[in-house]
Amino acid sequence: MLLHQGIGLHAFNAMPMRRAVHAVYECCYSVPLAADLCRARPFDSHDRLFRFADTLLFGLAEESIDSILQAYPDVGRRPGSEKSRAEQCAIADERPEMMSELASASRTYLEHFGFGFVMYVDGGCAEDVLASARDRLHNDYETERKVVRNELARINRTRLERMLGPEGGYDNW
């Protein structure tokens, strides 16, 4: 659960370093990425912050990506979660057999690649996630690592957007 939501870019730029790092860490699960992003403040637009966050993510070592992946809940772990709707953990389906197939595909993926499945879902359905998990099993390891970084970048962006909220933030900050 994100504690820092809708803070606005101005308030984020003005936050003390420790608090800003904590806010970004809630979005990306990487202390180095969060610290580097916060050291680069101030940002003059949401887009510049998002682009710099992408640059930092794509520059991380594979070990850091593995650490990030450890923090992601499995497919269907938070079914129907509004806050996690862009992520695979929020996938829900009324059919128990579909949820069982998703769990099986997720286990197969983990066994095949050695790291958990992560996907930017953005409200998609269980069939889409299942098809993607199965399709991605055909990737070689290096290709899948690139796909994972892209998926993480898309998820990070939605989380950073939620952290910042609309331009100017909300009145509670």
Side-chain angles (χ1 to χ4, degrees), residues 66 69-70 107-116 141 145:
D66 288 335
L69 290 171
Q70 293 295 315
R107 281 190 304 276
T108 301
Y109 180 97
L110 176 61
E111 291 167 4
H112 183 76
F113 289 113
F115 51 88
Y141 183 85
R145 291 301 281 200

Side-chain angles (χ1 to χ4, degrees), residues 73-140:
D74 205 6
V75 174
R77 186 73 178 265
R78 297 182 189 145
S81 168
E82 186 57 35
K83 290 183 179 175
S84 300
R85 71 177 185 76
E87 303 172 34
Q88 76 281 350
C89 65
I91 286 300
D93 194 287
E94 297 296 319
R95 299 166 293 174
E97 63 275 8
M98 175 56 75
M99 294 306 288
S100 179
E101 285 186 60
L102 282 167
S104 177
S106 181
R107 281 190 304 276
T108 301
Y109 180 97
L110 176 61
E111 291 167 4
H112 183 76
F113 289 113
F115 51 88
F117 178 77
V118 65
M119 178 180 172
Y120 175 79
V121 176
D122 196 24
C125 67
E127 286 87 356
D128 294 341
V129 175
L130 183 60
S132 181
R134 288 177 174 164
D135 287 347
R136 286 169 52 184
L137 284 169
H138 297 289
N139 289 341
D140 60 56

